[in-house]
Amino acid sequence: MSTTPPVLAAELAQAWADIQRYHPELPDLAAPESLIGESSSACGAELSFERLLHEAVHGIAAARGVRDTSRAGRYHNRRFLAIAEELGLDHVEEPHPSSGFSLVTLNPEAKRRYRPTTERLQRALKAHTVATAADTKRSFRGPAARHGSSGGGVRVKAVCDCGRNVRVVPSVLAQAPIVCGGCGKPFRIPEAAVAVG
């Protein structure tokens, strides 16, 4: 039993607010918990401030109505790169063949600007790692652990009316709506998925 995930979620929300201070058009983060334990090869597997800033680029693109990815969200195009540069992220000259400009890094100015935020988030991530590594094989973590889920629950597909979808733990979706950046409507779990789960 650890309070680290809620603390980490609070730190993620605070880091997001720090980004919003410099970029007010960035929408609010609907569910910080959704970033914990998530991994995406296109967006970076490790949770860090750099990854959070990457996600903020997608948030601003959605707010502006800019299509910043293709190939089911894997390929990050030049529109993504332009917004990333506004937020203080750099990229190598040539895009990656399958993920485009997804591999971005903080530029020196952004490193200075966000140093306190980065340090605070790193401490929270380290505490989270220590707390989750402290689980022993004798600790019962429920069905998600038996089936290899890293986020504390079995993820199901949630859809919105425009056809986009996300994988989410139903309990996270029950806490508050997760809103689609494409159409502005909330994601929902189809009835068939609820019956199977």
Side-chain angles (χ1 to χ4, degrees):
M1 180 163 96
S2 169
T3 59
T4 304
V7 169
L8 180 54
E11 287 297 342
L12 285 166
Q14 182 58 54
W16 193 265
D18 291 350
I19 299 167
Q20 285 178 311
R21 198 169 25 253
Y22 293 99
H23 305 281
E25 70 182 303
L26 177 63
D28 291 338
L29 183 60
E33 301 84 357
S34 67
L35 293 173
I36 301 170
E38 283 293 315
S39 115
S40 163
S41 59
C43 299
E46 185 176 321
L47 185 55
S48 65
F49 181 73
E50 209 163 68
R51 162 90 187 279
L52 195 65
L53 205 54
H54 175 123
E55 296 300 334
V57 173
H58 291 303
I60 288 176
R64 293 178 181 174
V66 171
R67 186 176 174 134
D68 62 341
T69 62
S70 59
R71 300 182 196 163
R74 289 185 308 274
Y75 191 87
H76 294 59
N77 60 34
R78 291 194 183 276
R79 291 181 291 272
F80 171 86
L81 182 57
I83 298 170
E85 289 171 349
E86 288 178 40
L87 270 68
L89 294 167
D90 287 335
H91 187 276
V92 294
E93 284 296 314
E94 294 299 315
H96 185 275
S98 62
S99 62
F101 295 100
S102 69
L103 303 175
V104 288
T105 57
L106 286 167
N107 69 27
E109 181 185 335
K111 283 180 183 177
R112 282 189 299 278
R113 174 185 299 156
Y114 293 114
R115 178 169 283 127
T117 303
T118 301
E119 290 171 354
R120 206 175 54 239
L121 185 57
Q122 283 176 337
R123 283 191 300 272
L125 286 165
K126 184 176 180 183
H128 175 72
T129 300
V130 167
T132 55
D135 284 347
T136 66
K137 290 183 179 178
R138 292 178 44 84
S139 297
F140 179 73
R141 294 180 52 216
R146 290 194 305 274
H147 299 293
S149 172
S150 61
V154 177
R155 297 184 197 306
V156 297
K157 186 188 329 186
V159 298
C160 74
D161 292 339
C162 72
R164 297 179 76 205
N165 64 70
V166 295
R167 290 269 178 201
V168 63
V169 176
S171 62
V172 170
L173 193 59
Q175 291 172 10
I178 297 174
V179 180
C180 174
C183 69
K185 294 183 180 174
F187 284 95
R188 59 183 169 64
I189 298 172
E191 295 300 320
V194 174
V196 172

